[in-house]
Amino acid sequence: MLLTLADGPLRFSGLRQLIGSVTPKVLTSTLRTLERDGLVQRTVYAQVPVRVDYELTDIGHSLLGPMEILRKWSESHASKVLQARDEFDARDDLIRS
Amino acid sequence: MLLTLADGPLRFSGLRQLIGSVTPKVLTSTLRTLERDGLVQRTVYAQVPVRVDYELTDIGHSLLGPMEILRKWSESHASKVLQARDEFDARDDLIRS
């Protein structure tokens, strides 16, 4: 979510498009949590139809670096983690059967 | 959890002591998730009483760097995030009252 907002403000619909598989309910709840934590700023424009923008605050921007490092780690270790899960589940099935 | 295991293997009781405010149930569940992801290795020693050690795998070790960066970020931004939450909750109370 934070990485999605890295390049600038987005509207709710724009965020949904970029993130993909997320329900509006979950997206709203996540945005609210990020707003409460001071990482995302929500701006309502009094126009018809009403426009709502979401953008990173300074604190949100400061978290981009650490998040990017974590994203890179995930990318390079995803296959190993998935393999470990498969092996664990196979052992687990064996014990339970 | 991962950072707690950074210095070497620990037994369940040792982990509980170092982590502090966590119930045995939550700790067991977290360890199982980390074991399933291949980040933590669980070793059972056949002795009386039985001894169970938890230690980081190579993948677990590789996540220490990113986690440490995230920990440092949290430490230096905690007060700002807590302040943002207070302000958000105060606004929220105002809207609902």
Side-chain angles (χ1 to χ4, degrees):
Chain A
M1 179 81 76
L2 291 175
L3 295 174
T4 312
L5 287 169
D7 292 332
L10 282 172
R11 298 165 74 164
F12 191 83
S13 51
L15 268 169
R16 267 202 83 186
Q17 272 173 22
L18 286 171
I19 292 176
S21 56
V22 63
T23 64
K25 200 178 163 182
V26 167
L27 185 56
T28 300
S29 159
T30 307
L31 283 168
R32 206 176 144 82
T33 304
L34 292 172
E35 192 193 349
R36 182 169 179 258
D37 288 348
L39 301 173
V40 163
Q41 164 85 39
R42 181 175 178 270
T43 311
V44 182
Y45 294 94
Q47 59 184 50
V48 182
V50 69
R51 182 181 142 199
V52 184
D53 273 5
Y54 295 91
E55 63 187 312
L56 294 183
T57 61
D58 288 347
I59 317 179
H61 270 288
S62 74
L63 189 51
L64 284 179
M67 279 291 141
E68 183 61 22
I69 288 166
L70 215 56
R71 193 190 61 74
K72 278 184 187 154
W73 181 91
S74 304
E75 230 173 53
S76 56
H77 293 81
S79 66
K80 282 182 185 171
V81 168
L82 292 176
Q83 191 192 332
R85 282 184 193 166
D86 284 345
E87 288 171 10
F88 183 92
D89 293 344
R91 283 199 303 277
D92 204 46
D93 286 347
L94 208 65
I95 291 164
R96 284 167 200 270
S97 64
Chain B
M1 179 79 77
L2 291 176
L3 294 174
T4 312
L5 287 169
D7 294 332
L10 281 171
R11 298 164 75 164
F12 191 84
S13 53
L15 269 169
R16 268 202 81 185
Q17 272 173 21
L18 285 170
I19 292 174
S21 57
V22 63
T23 64
K25 199 179 163 182
V26 169
L27 185 55
T28 299
S29 159
T30 307
L31 283 168
R32 207 177 142 82
T33 304
L34 293 172
E35 192 193 347
R36 182 170 179 258
D37 288 347
L39 301 172
V40 162
Q41 163 87 38
R42 182 176 178 269
T43 311
V44 182
Y45 294 94
Q47 59 183 50
V48 182
V50 68
R51 184 180 141 198
V52 184
D53 272 9
Y54 296 89
E55 64 186 312
L56 294 183
T57 60
D58 288 347
I59 316 178
H61 270 288
S62 74
L63 190 50
L64 284 179
M67 279 292 142
E68 183 61 24
I69 288 166
L70 215 57
R71 193 192 61 75
K72 278 185 187 152
W73 182 92
S74 304
E75 229 173 55
S76 57
H77 293 81
S79 66
K80 282 182 185 169
V81 169
L82 292 175
Q83 190 191 333
R85 283 184 192 165
D86 284 346
E87 288 171 10
F88 183 92
D89 293 344
R91 283 201 302 279
D92 205 46
D93 287 347
L94 209 64
I95 291 164
R96 285 166 199 271
S97 65

